Amino acid sequence: MKTTLLIKNAGQVVTSRGASDKPLTGAGLGKVTVIENGAVAIGSDKILAVGSTPEVLKKITPARGMQEVDAAGKVVLPGLVDPHTHVVFGGSREHELSLKLQGVPYLEILARGGGILSSVEATRAASKEELVQSGIEYCRQMLAQGTTTAEAKSGYGLSTAAELKTLEAVRDVGRSQPLDLVPTFLGAHAVPKEYKEEPDRYVDLIIEEMLPQVVEQNLACFCDVFCEEGVFSVEQSRKVLEAAREKGLGLKMHADEIAPLGGAELAAELGAVSADHLLVISDQGIEKMASAGVIGVILPGTTFYLCEDHYAPARRMIEAGVSLALATDFNPGSSPNNNLQLIINIACLYLRMTPPEVINAITINAAHALGREKEVGSLEEGKKADLTLFDAPNYEYLAYRYGSNLISSVVKNGELVVEVE
Ligand code: NIG
Ligand code: FE
């Protein structure tokens, strides 16, 4: 195969390679392979070679009209992977900020019919086309900040029609712009107001009506549940997730975020791919996730935005052998941020993760959390040509500078889709 795009002379190429079979844990999570004066050769939409610039130049056969990017003074990483987002929703919730500043807790706003439920109203009122338009715009922002693959959950519809509309919108957003979306069905995100008095009937509706149609129409890869006090109990979560597993979906959970209900233990028992949030995970939950190989997806941007007084115990989890990934949790309420670069900073400062751990957690381990580890998440021959180029002298600089978009270029499927002058 001839080279169609050559990235050369990079200050550093950071590969996250060698972990496409199993997610990184423990000491392995803290190591990255760095190639100084690096190059990446791309043929069509695949990576052909990664190495030092002289090595790669020796190997390649240029295609006619091969594009070349001089990456001197830049750091090259795999395209970033955001394994937990709610990117398709109607409306926005800036009006809740003042309630929050008055000290009204997140779950109290939800109990009053606001929070998630106010986004449900806006999402139900929006047409599919409107959801697609806003989804495309959010994805454009994410791509410009270096994210090339992201999860996209439903969960602001909460009726069969509105959940299907959301997942169809996710599919259409994925087809309309370069960022790849991995769809997750989150019918169990909240109990809608029409089922307030009989939440178990809503659980039945999810299992008997929504799930079969979602699967039949091939609209989701994963099923997720918000297992939380006042939302879905461990028993209700188990019912939904068992039904989803039976239908062949991978499992995810919003677990142990605010009240320690034992969501991590349930995720381990059911063989979930990931359990997410985990601020109040128990020691037993940590042990069980480590032995069952459930990936912990930590969402420190949400902790920051909810002004929680403590973050998920990332260091204890790493020491216990849990594989960690990091995500934005982009959503209209608890985390209106879709920039993974900010997550790099918050994870280093408040989760006390090192820059190599953070890079692996937003590349290869994040790809594992989406079941896309064979295609994306590292710079290796044969993988999809998804790359980010940052204006930075070394990768640690990304953890040091915060609040700026350091992207200089993004390559998606072998094409330069973002170029900052
Ligand atoms: O992951 N925790 C539950 N769901 C979202 C928040 C949704 C919202 O507030 O709209 C989350 O944080
Ligand atoms: Fe979430």
Side-chain angles (χ1 to χ4, degrees), residues 84-86 106 151 153 156 186 189 224 226 253-254 257 276-277 299 302 328-331 334-335:
H84 182 139
T85 90
H86 309 244
Y106 178 76
E151 191 223 25
K153 300 178 194 288
Y156 293 108
L186 178 56
H189 195 194
D224 190 349
F226 187 15
M253 285 184 72
H254 283 68
E257 179 185 2
D276 303 23
H277 283 293
L299 311 165
T302 311
T328 60
D329 193 17
F330 178 54
N331 72 66
S334 65
S335 187

Side-chain angles (χ1 to χ4, degrees), residues 70-353:
D70 185 351
K74 318 253 186 251
V75 169
V76 178
L77 294 189
L80 308 184
V81 178
D82 192 342
H84 182 139
T85 90
H86 309 244
V87 65
V88 171
F89 55 83
S92 58
R93 306 230 296 273
E94 60 278 18
H95 51 276
E96 277 173 18
L97 194 55
S98 61
L99 281 179
K100 188 167 108 166
L101 295 177
Q102 287 160 34
V104 184
Y106 178 76
L107 289 179
E108 170 64 25
I109 297 176
L110 177 61
R112 291 185 194 176
I116 295 175
L117 294 175
S118 101
S119 295
V120 169
E121 257 175 58
T123 304
R124 286 179 177 178
S127 67
K128 185 170 89 182
E129 291 64 36
E130 286 167 334
L131 294 178
V132 172
Q133 276 319 309
S134 64
I136 289 174
E137 175 54 20
Y138 293 133
C139 285
R140 190 196 60 73
Q141 295 165 2
M142 290 160 77
L143 201 62
Q145 295 167 137
T147 303
T148 50
T149 302
E151 191 223 25
K153 300 178 194 288
S154 68
Y156 293 108
L158 309 187
S159 67
T160 304
E163 283 295 301
L164 292 173
K165 176 179 72 176
T166 307
L167 287 170
E168 285 167 13
V170 168
R171 178 196 60 202
D172 294 353
V173 174
R175 288 176 179 166
S176 309
Q177 50 73 52
L179 191 157
D180 280 317
L181 292 179
V182 179
T184 293
F185 169 57
L186 178 56
H189 195 194
V191 177
K193 59 179 187 314
E194 52 289 8
Y195 285 90
K196 195 168 179 218
E197 303 310 323
E198 25 185 18
D200 283 325
R201 277 197 52 226
Y202 181 63
V203 171
D204 292 342
L205 180 82
I206 293 174
I207 294 171
E208 286 158 22
E209 201 178 286
M210 295 186 191
L211 257 175
Q213 295 192 48
V214 167
V215 171
E216 171 83 5
Q217 296 177 44
N218 206 10
L219 286 170
C221 298
F222 292 97
C223 178
D224 190 349
V225 173
F226 187 15
C227 179
E228 185 58 71
E229 202 160 80
V231 192
F232 294 97
S233 66
V234 168
E235 272 325 301
Q236 291 169 325
S237 303
R238 179 186 277 113
K239 264 182 93 176
V240 172
L241 293 171
E242 278 179 346
R245 186 174 60 179
E246 215 162 277
K247 294 205 172 299
L249 296 183
L251 307 184
K252 291 183 164 284
M253 285 184 72
H254 283 68
D256 297 325
E257 179 185 2
I258 301 167
L261 297 189
E265 287 87 335
L266 180 64
E269 178 197 319
L270 296 176
V273 175
S274 75
D276 303 23
H277 283 293
L278 306 172
L279 269 67
V280 292
I281 186 171
S282 69
D283 288 342
Q284 204 194 22
I286 294 180
E287 256 169 54
K288 291 197 166 164
M289 278 181 62
S291 49
V294 179
I295 298 172
V297 177
I298 309 292
L299 311 165
T302 311
T303 314
F304 168 77
Y305 191 74
L306 290 178
C307 308
E308 300 282 358
D309 54 14
H310 74 283
Y311 282 74
R315 289 254 58 92
R316 273 203 287 134
M317 295 175 75
I318 292 170
E319 273 152 34
V322 178
S323 322
L324 293 189
L326 289 160
T328 60
D329 193 17
F330 178 54
N331 72 66
S334 65
S335 187
N337 160 56
N338 57 14
N339 183 2
L340 271 173
Q341 292 176 63
L342 181 58
I343 301 303
I344 298 178
N345 307 110
I346 304 179
C348 283
L349 295 173
Y350 295 102
L351 298 175
R352 302 276 163 184
M353 289 173 71

